[in-house]
Amino acid sequence: MRRWILIGVSACVAAIILGAIGVGELLSGAAPTAVDSLSGPVSSDFPVESVQIPLNAGSRDTGSGVHGWLRRGAHGGGMILLVHSIRSNRVEMLSRAKFLNARGYSVLLIDLQAHGETPGERITFGALESENVEAAVAFLRENFPSERIAAIGVSLGAAAIVLASHPLRLDAVVLESLHPTIEEAVENRLRLHLGELGPALSPLLLWQLTFRLNISPEALNPITRIGDLDTPLLLISGTDDRHTTVAETRRLFEAARQPKEMWIVPGGGHFNMHAYAGREYEDRILDFLDSYIRERKK
């Protein structure tokens, strides 16, 4: 009897470990998509230029560059970098690109590494993705030297902006649905999918993610870096976001520098706040960007 109990316990432990490994694979596995094949349909009502941005010297990412779409706006009207969420690609940011461009902003939409058409073996929760953001900003600085530049990042895209190792020298930043720590991000997702007992698997999952990525969890905590952003900030989250809570968003806001604004969207969830809030989202984003990108050029 005792032998069968030990066998049963061992089987349960093995199942838990294999389950955590499976979840880790799901979270960090690459999400490639042939995005550029969509440039034809996109160009029918919103012509874009396909670009491939070289990585900066010294980058840890060994890929061939960052793939994206560029849409030019009014000369001197400002440039907005758009950075998508996890397991997505630049298409997610297309609706934002359209209303921004209609206002006269130029826009650059990129695929983060291991997403869309930008090469990468694994999603790294902002570590290598931040180098894609650095490369994109450098590309814009070189090719549009007279333009003021802002960035909008969603979830992973927001983390990639905050975790950049080198100063981005942006003129404004919008961060949506950003987690404060990787531990909280993992625990919230485990709780969401597995119930209240899910977070008990967090240490095992974080360990094997660290093993896969060779990155310490502490290096993936936006709350320790958000204070380094020396730029006006608009932080956005939803009251119904179960991936990143309002309390977590408030902690991020407290850690950020002035000038800063926060918008907690009633009923908003974790993904695509533009699709949810519609015109109000557009008005708030444009008011914020116009304040720091347009008015200072007068």
Side-chain angles (χ1 to χ4, degrees), residues 2 10 27 44 80 87 154 173 237 242 250 265:
R2 186 176 181 181
S10 298
L27 289 175
S44 63
I80 314 297
R87 308 201 70 80
V154 180
V173 169
S237 185
R242 297 173 65 188
R250 293 189 188 282
V265 183

Side-chain angles (χ1 to χ4, degrees), residues 4 6 9 39 56 59 109 113 144 146 154 199 205 210 215 218 221 228 233 261 285 288-289 295 297:
W4 288 110
L6 290 174
V9 171
S39 59
N56 297 333
S59 170
L109 306 76
Q113 71 93 35
F144 302 91
S146 63
V154 180
L205 184 57
T210 302
I215 301 169
E218 291 75 18
N221 292 339
D228 296 335
L233 169 67
E261 302 175 25
I285 294 294
F288 175 76
L289 293 177
E295 292 183 3
K297 293 188 69 68

Side-chain angles (χ1 to χ4, degrees), residues 7-208:
I7 291 174
V9 171
S10 298
C12 289
V13 171
I16 291 172
I17 292 174
L18 290 174
I21 290 173
V23 173
E25 178 63 32
L26 179 63
L27 289 175
S28 66
T33 307
V35 178
D36 218 26
S37 63
L38 299 174
S39 59
V42 168
S43 65
S44 63
D45 67 339
F46 192 70
V48 294
E49 304 170 38
S50 294
V51 296
Q52 187 169 339
I53 302 166
L55 294 167
N56 297 333
S59 170
R60 296 166 293 171
D61 190 342
T62 58
S64 60
V66 180
H67 290 247
W69 287 330
L70 175 66
R71 166 83 174 199
R72 299 173 190 267
H75 178 71
M79 171 66 70
I80 314 297
L81 172 64
L82 300 171
V83 196
H84 62 79
S85 64
I86 193 167
R87 308 201 70 80
S88 184
N89 55 59
R90 70 191 103 142
V91 175
E92 177 188 359
M93 309 303 287
L94 191 56
S95 67
R96 292 170 174 83
K98 289 181 178 180
F99 83 76
L100 290 166
N101 188 249
R103 186 67 152 230
Y105 288 106
S106 299
V107 289
L108 174 63
L109 306 76
I110 63 170
D111 289 339
L112 294 170
Q113 71 93 35
H115 293 80
E117 294 184 321
T118 298
E121 294 182 0
R122 291 200 173 277
I123 298 168
T124 65
F125 308 99
L128 294 181
E129 292 82 1
S130 67
E131 296 179 358
N132 302 154
V133 170
E134 290 184 16
V137 173
F139 169 84
L140 294 176
R141 291 287 180 205
E142 180 178 355
N143 290 278
F144 302 91
S146 63
E147 299 286 357
R148 297 179 68 82
I149 301 173
I152 300 176
V154 180
S155 188
L156 173 63
I161 293 169
V162 174
L163 295 176
S165 298
H166 303 95
L168 295 175
R169 297 187 299 115
L170 293 169
D171 298 294
V173 169
V174 178
L175 303 176
E176 302 180 28
S177 307
L178 176 64
H179 55 274
T181 69
I182 189 66
E183 290 88 350
E184 288 165 298
V186 169
E187 287 180 2
N188 288 344
R189 284 154 180 78
L190 288 172
R191 182 179 293 107
L192 179 62
H193 295 292
L194 301 177
E196 289 303 317
L197 295 179
L201 295 176
S202 180
L204 180 59
L205 184 57
L206 287 170
W207 172 83
Q208 64 98 11

